[in-house]
């Protein structure tokens, strides 16, 4: 059933060429249950969009490729849709839009699969997974039992969930259920970039499809396609600092961008910090920082995971020295 020494280069969006000493692809929960019953310590790979592989994987690698989307409940104005973990995220968003189901349109074109979306509480342009999340089912690796998690039990935060901390490596997410609107869709277009793009499109009264089109256009203009150049999207989280700290930064950078989180806290774009430190467009061998978006680290050709990681650490050290801000990596380092 397992294949030996399989390259994972095509299965991670950074395009890092490491080997899985033992590799198996599963397309059903039944197959997954049989594997986990024997191998308790496995490495689960799905969309490969939020990881940086720095070494060969010695533990069994399970590539989760389960498919299926279904409506599980419907009531006036709302619908509950369940998608299997192996479904491509953007394909799932398009499936919902084609049926006029609203809620996920601001999350269009985010790389990865449905199963990994709750782990990061993926978000973009004013919307996060938690905003339309209902529940998920996950396999307890130690017991072989399937457990349902509510939004509260997932402990969602900014690019955070319980699956990145207390339950990391203990559960495999099998499917996710979302509560979406079927009429009178809430429209989230408060971000300036969306407003500007809608204006360019000549759209004054956008629906969910127009919001999706605007988001796609923005992302394509700012973010490189992983199929063309290896990357994992945003590499660092946007740091949240005190208003006093930000006031000190403004003294040197009067036009520093920011988002007010509360009366006491300010969120600063990590990409701006990286750019001010001179890294935007810089290349270090085959590892580099994208020319259009300083928040994105890229693999130009054959960079190793360690080379990408060394660059990330150099950026962290430089930003800390210049701004007294500790950048946190959003990408999982393996």
């Amino acid at each position: 059933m397992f294949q030996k020494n399989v390259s994972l280069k095509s299965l991670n969006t950074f395009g890092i060429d490491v080997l899985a000493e033992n590799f198996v692809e599963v397309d059903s929960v039944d197959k997954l249950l049989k594997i986990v019953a024997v191998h308790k310590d496995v490495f689960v790979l799905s969309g490969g969009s939020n990881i940086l592989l720095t070494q060969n994987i010695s533990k069994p690698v399970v590539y989760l490729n389960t498919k299926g989307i279904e409506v599980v409940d419907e009531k006036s104005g709302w619908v509950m849709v369940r998608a299997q973990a192996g479904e491509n995220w953007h394909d799932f968003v398009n499936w919902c839009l084609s049926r006029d189901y609203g809620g996920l349109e601001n999350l269009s074109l985010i790389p990865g699969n449905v199963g990994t979306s709750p782990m990061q509480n993926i978000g973009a342009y004013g919307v996060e997974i938690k905003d339309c999340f209902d529940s998920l089912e996950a396999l307890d690796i130690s017991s072989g039992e399937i457990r349902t998690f509510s939004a509260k039990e997932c402990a969602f935060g900014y690019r955070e969930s319980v699956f990145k901390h207390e339950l990391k490596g203990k559960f495999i997410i099998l499917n996710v259920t979302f509560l979406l609107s079927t009429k009178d869709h809430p429209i989230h277009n408060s971000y300036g970039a969306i407003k500007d793009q809608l204006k360019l499109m000549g759209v004054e009264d956008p629906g969910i499809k127009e919001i999706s089109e605007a988001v796609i256009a923005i992302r394509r203009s700012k973010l490189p396609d992983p199929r063309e150049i290896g990357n994992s999207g945003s590499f660092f989280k946007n740091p949240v600092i005190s208003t006093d700290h930000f006031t000190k930064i403004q003294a040197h950078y009067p036009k520093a961008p920011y988002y007010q989180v509360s009366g006491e806290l300010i969120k600063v774009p990590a990409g701006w910090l990286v750019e001010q430190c001179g890294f935007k467009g810089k290349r270090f061998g085959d590892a580099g920082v994208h020319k259009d978006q300083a928040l994105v680290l890229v693999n130009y050709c054959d960079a190793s995971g360690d080379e990408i990681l060394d660059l990330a650490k150099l950026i962290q050290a430089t930003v800390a020295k210049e701004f007294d801000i500790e950048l946190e990596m959003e990408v999982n380092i393996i």
Side-chain angles (χ1 to χ4, degrees):
M1 183 180 292
F2 280 89
Q3 297 175 267
K4 297 288 187 180
N5 297 321
V6 174
S7 172
L8 300 179
K9 185 173 184 176
S10 66
L11 297 179
N12 70 96
T13 60
F14 256 119
I16 304 297
D17 193 8
V18 301
L19 296 178
E21 294 181 13
N22 294 281
F23 174 90
V24 64
E25 179 178 338
V26 298
D27 57 8
S28 72
V29 173
D30 287 342
K31 290 181 181 178
L32 180 62
L33 288 170
K34 291 176 182 177
I35 290 169
V36 172
V38 177
H39 304 278
K40 295 297 184 182
D41 188 16
V42 297
F43 177 77
V44 179
L45 184 62
S46 186
S49 63
N50 204 56
I51 58 174
L52 176 63
L53 301 173
T54 62
Q55 59 189 317
N56 293 338
I57 311 297
S58 58
K59 64 178 64 176
V61 174
V62 177
Y63 176 55
L64 196 58
N65 197 26
T66 51
K67 303 292 184 182
I69 305 172
E70 61 179 328
V71 172
V72 294
D73 194 12
E74 192 167 3
K75 51 191 174 182
S76 179
W78 298 93
V79 64
M80 291 177 68
V81 180
R82 178 176 297 144
Q84 297 302 309
E87 286 286 346
N88 175 270
W89 175 258
H90 184 60
D91 289 347
F92 172 57
V93 173
N94 283 337
W95 186 94
C96 294
L97 288 170
S98 70
R99 289 157 177 79
D100 198 32
Y101 298 160
L104 303 177
E105 53 278 357
N106 289 58
L107 307 180
S108 297
L109 210 63
I110 292 178
N113 288 356
V114 168
T116 53
S117 63
M119 294 180 67
Q120 292 291 119
N121 182 28
I122 61 172
Y125 302 105
V127 174
E128 295 177 317
I129 278 291
K130 67 178 180 63
D131 299 324
C132 50
F133 176 92
D134 176 77
S135 60
L136 64 79
E137 289 185 322
L139 173 65
D140 186 330
I141 296 174
S142 62
S143 69
E145 296 179 351
I146 296 176
R147 174 180 162 185
T148 300
F149 286 80
S150 66
K152 183 178 180 180
E153 290 170 317
C154 289
F156 290 127
Y158 173 54
R159 304 297 178 267
E160 295 284 358
S161 77
V162 70
F163 300 104
K164 289 187 67 177
H165 299 284
E166 301 96 303
L167 301 184
K168 184 176 182 179
K170 297 180 180 179
F171 283 83
I172 301 173
I173 296 174
L174 303 177
N175 58 65
V176 187
T177 301
F178 298 90
L179 184 63
L180 306 174
S181 59
T182 57
K183 61 181 181 180
D184 301 325
H185 305 297
I187 299 298
H188 302 280
N189 63 343
S190 59
Y191 268 66
I194 292 183
K195 290 181 177 179
D196 291 343
Q197 183 60 38
L198 290 171
K199 187 175 181 180
L200 285 174
M201 294 163 55
V203 177
E204 296 182 359
D205 186 21
I208 56 176
K209 290 184 179 179
E210 287 77 20
I211 293 294
S212 174
E213 291 170 4
V215 168
I216 289 170
I218 295 167
R219 292 185 71 89
R220 283 179 172 162
S221 70
K222 292 183 176 182
L223 301 171
D225 187 337
R227 294 171 297 183
E228 298 175 1
I229 183 170
N231 74 91
S232 193
S234 300
F235 199 93
F236 301 104
K237 295 181 180 179
N238 292 322
V240 177
I241 61 176
S242 69
T243 51
D244 288 344
H245 190 168
F246 184 68
T247 298
K248 293 177 182 178
I249 292 174
Q250 277 187 313
H252 298 282
Y253 298 89
K255 295 183 179 180
Y258 68 95
Y259 304 100
Q260 194 82 41
V261 176
S262 67
E264 303 292 330
L265 297 174
I266 297 287
K267 182 183 290 186
V268 183
W272 180 82
L273 296 170
V274 176
E275 183 174 353
Q276 300 312 303
C277 290
F279 284 100
K280 186 175 182 180
K282 287 290 185 67
R283 181 168 177 167
F284 302 78
D286 276 344
V289 179
H290 195 257
K291 62 182 179 63
D292 296 325
Q293 175 50 271
L295 193 54
V296 178
L297 304 192
V298 295
N299 174 13
Y300 283 103
C301 187
D302 293 317
S304 68
D306 280 334
E307 289 172 325
I308 299 288
L309 182 58
D310 287 345
L311 173 56
K313 290 179 178 178
L314 175 61
I315 291 171
Q316 286 179 314
T318 307
V319 169
K321 183 178 180 180
E322 177 67 23
F323 293 99
D324 193 25
I325 292 176
E326 299 292 334
L327 284 184
E328 185 178 351
M329 296 184 196
E330 185 174 324
V331 172
N332 295 299
I333 311 299
I334 307 299

